[in-house]
Amino acid sequence: MSEAFIHLSVLGEEAPEALVGDPDGLYVDGTFGRGGHSRRILEKLSPKGRLIAFDRDPQAVEVARSWTDPRFTIIHEPFSTMTESLAAIGVHQADGIFLDIGVSSPQIDDAARGFSFRFDGPLDMRMDTTRGMTAAEWLAQAEERDIRHVISLYGEERFAGPIARAIVARRKTKPLETTRELADLVAGVVPRNRKDMGQHPATRTFQAVRIEVNHELDELKQALDAAGGLLKPEGRLAVITFHSLEDRIVKSEMQQAARGCTCPPEFPVCVCGKKPLVKLVTRKPIVSGPAELEENPRARSAKLRVAEKL
């Protein structure tokens, strides 16, 4: 496969460094992408180490299958299936699990994938193009209230109502089929924000529809649950997020697991008996430094959180 699109792995040094404690261990990369983080993880492993990567994207899987490192295995499944997919190949525990949440640069920059309003292409947005409903199909059949809810919740868009009404009105005459059609429709509804003239009015809507089509937040929650059961004691979970919804989920799950006790704050002593399951390696998220931000502006919103199983 020709690599026509450049992908720079965000926090490419920091994430593997935080993840790998035992060079002889078995590690999981839940989002292979184009292999940037996987390559760095392999560099930290001994000949006895092993890395198993997951990806939903057939193009990413094709790249991964070209690798000849005997320590490396690729699985064409979403990371939410970690527990059963690993069990199918005889793996029940891991020394570390890494998740890089979001869309990779090759996906964004390929017009045919339909992720970006910067390029005109089919309104697809699926991370796995072999299964599931496209963005165009979802927008053509979803109820107005559901479209409004998704754009409001996942896009944090104040004009979700007018956008949803415009989409439903438009599809009565001609369904939305391309990224440019959706971007132009949203731009005609959302007034320009003088405080952020550099952001396209359709940015939040595209984010929201993509999250819905790929069930991204549900996938993330399932993966976090799976990681808790798969990690060995002292094994680490490292997660990179790119927007507030993802980061709130990861932060909340890690903090709850580190606290253990589920009693209300007003209780003077714990009566539930639940013990902490992890310790937080990063109290505050690790973010990209100036040098990385200059080379890769897409890293500006990235946050790396790390927890270690007790």
Side-chain angles (χ1 to χ4, degrees):
M1 177 180 177
S2 175
E3 280 296 280
F5 305 99
I6 297 173
H7 177 62
L8 300 176
S9 296
V10 175
L11 296 167
E13 297 290 343
E14 294 86 346
E17 182 68 30
L19 180 73
V20 178
D22 179 8
D24 295 338
L26 184 148
Y27 294 86
V28 174
D29 181 351
T31 42
F32 177 80
R34 289 303 183 269
H37 289 112
S38 284
R39 190 173 287 108
R40 300 284 180 87
I41 293 169
L42 285 167
E43 288 172 357
K44 292 187 170 294
L45 300 186
S46 74
K48 296 180 180 179
R50 186 177 179 189
L51 176 64
I52 302 172
F54 286 75
D55 210 292
R56 291 199 272 179
D57 189 328
Q59 294 179 5
V61 172
E62 184 179 349
V63 172
R65 285 176 176 160
S66 71
W67 287 21
T68 58
D69 192 318
R71 302 170 299 168
F72 176 75
T73 302
I74 182 66
I75 297 176
H76 182 197
E77 292 291 344
F79 52 52
S80 61
T81 70
M82 266 191 287
T83 301
E84 54 266 40
S85 294
L86 291 173
I89 59 173
V91 174
H92 302 281
Q93 285 191 309
D95 294 276
I97 296 173
F98 171 67
L99 304 175
D100 179 1
I101 311 302
V103 186
S104 69
S105 296
Q107 290 171 326
I108 295 172
D109 294 337
D110 184 352
R113 302 300 299 274
F115 284 104
S116 176
F117 47 77
R118 293 190 295 115
F119 314 102
D120 191 24
L123 197 53
D124 193 318
M125 295 196 191
R126 291 174 299 167
M127 291 182 178
D128 185 346
T129 54
T130 67
R131 64 188 86 171
M133 189 180 295
T134 67
E137 290 168 341
W138 182 75
L139 289 171
Q141 58 85 40
E143 297 286 344
E144 180 181 324
R145 63 176 180 274
D146 294 330
I147 298 173
R148 181 178 65 249
H149 176 73
V150 163
I151 296 174
S152 175
L153 180 63
Y154 297 156
E156 300 178 296
E157 171 61 73
R158 291 189 299 126
F159 299 95
I163 293 170
R165 285 194 297 274
I167 290 171
V168 171
R170 162 63 187 266
R171 74 189 189 192
K172 290 178 180 177
T173 56
K174 185 180 182 299
L176 293 163
E177 296 178 347
T178 71
T179 54
R180 181 163 297 164
E181 288 174 349
L182 177 59
D184 289 347
L185 181 146
V186 176
V189 174
V190 177
R192 279 283 189 176
N193 185 345
R194 292 182 179 180
K195 295 181 180 179
D196 192 4
M197 293 298 290
Q199 178 170 282
H200 192 284
T203 299
R204 291 179 291 273
T205 296
F206 268 68
Q207 171 184 292
V209 174
R210 187 202 79 218
I211 290 173
E212 171 64 22
V213 166
N214 294 288
H215 311 293
E216 291 178 33
L217 300 188
D218 289 338
E219 291 280 327
L220 173 58
K221 292 174 185 176
Q222 292 175 42
L224 295 175
D225 288 343
L230 287 167
L231 283 173
K232 296 178 180 178
E234 299 185 359
R236 288 189 170 187
L237 171 64
V239 186
I240 296 177
T241 60
F242 288 87
H243 64 71
S244 59
L245 295 174
E246 301 162 344
D247 186 57
R248 282 201 294 269
I249 291 171
V250 174
K251 179 181 178 181
S252 175
E253 292 285 337
M254 286 186 173
Q255 288 182 339
Q256 182 58 53
R259 187 164 73 94
C261 174
T262 57
C263 295
E266 60 268 20
F267 277 37
V269 295
C270 174
V271 296
C272 72
K274 292 186 177 180
K275 303 297 183 184
L277 301 175
V278 304
K279 69 175 181 181
L280 300 180
V281 177
T282 53
R283 291 286 174 180
K284 293 184 177 181
I286 298 170
V287 297
S288 300
E292 180 173 16
L293 291 175
E294 184 175 350
E295 182 182 19
N296 183 14
R298 288 176 178 167
R300 64 186 181 277
S301 59
K303 293 181 179 181
L304 169 63
R305 295 186 184 273
V306 185
E308 183 178 297
K309 189 169 182 178
L310 295 175

